Amino acid sequence: MEEQQRRLVLPRFTHDDAWALGSLLVELARQRRAPVAVDIHRAGQQLFHAALPGSTPDNDAWIARKRRVVERYGAASYLVGARFRAKGTTFEDSSRLDPDVYAAHGGSFPIAVEGAGVIGAVTVSGLPQVEDHRLVVEALERFLAQ
């Protein structure tokens, strides 16, 4: 996962890029009939949001909690949780953060820009956490390859 973060750095990230990345995620999710919500935030502003059939308002709450982990740690929400597990504990037990506000579960990935660092997050919620994470990574890989 750390290698993914080193590799998935964008040259820039505009409003149009948010639309293109979000639309790509929606397309991938539709192809898989994935009941997900998709969200892209940059510098505190929501640039993209979509809720696909089968998603629920609960997915939006998970998005917010996972996104806050990325914003606080500058790392993928799944990676943050894995780092705690590698230490023999859990994020919930050891982070000292409110689990109603933060969730170190897979599905939120930092939007990092060359020369600027982490400027936002792209988040998916609705699948098991590893699948949420993989969907976001796949979309970022395809987006970078365009």
Side-chain angles (χ1 to χ4, degrees), residues 73-86:
Y73 289 88
S77 55
Y78 192 52
L79 175 58
V80 172
R83 287 176 177 162
F84 279 90
R85 289 188 297 277

Side-chain angles (χ1 to χ4, degrees), residues 10-85:
L10 305 172
R12 69 184 188 299
F13 196 73
T14 66
H15 286 77
D16 288 338
D17 292 326
W19 179 261
L21 177 58
S23 298
L24 175 59
L25 265 165
V26 167
E27 178 184 327
L28 291 172
R30 283 188 191 278
Q31 290 170 1
R32 296 162 194 183
R33 293 191 172 109
V36 299
V38 176
D39 183 88
I40 299 175
H41 266 69
R42 184 187 69 185
Q45 182 183 20
Q46 185 179 53
L47 300 182
F48 185 93
H49 186 85
L52 276 64
S55 65
T56 69
D58 194 44
N59 295 121
D60 293 334
W62 275 98
I63 282 171
R65 292 168 59 219
K66 292 190 278 188
R67 185 187 75 245
R68 286 185 197 108
V69 167
V70 171
E71 292 168 348
R72 183 169 185 118
Y73 289 88
S77 55
Y78 192 52
L79 175 58
V80 172
R83 287 176 177 162
F84 279 90
R85 289 188 297 277

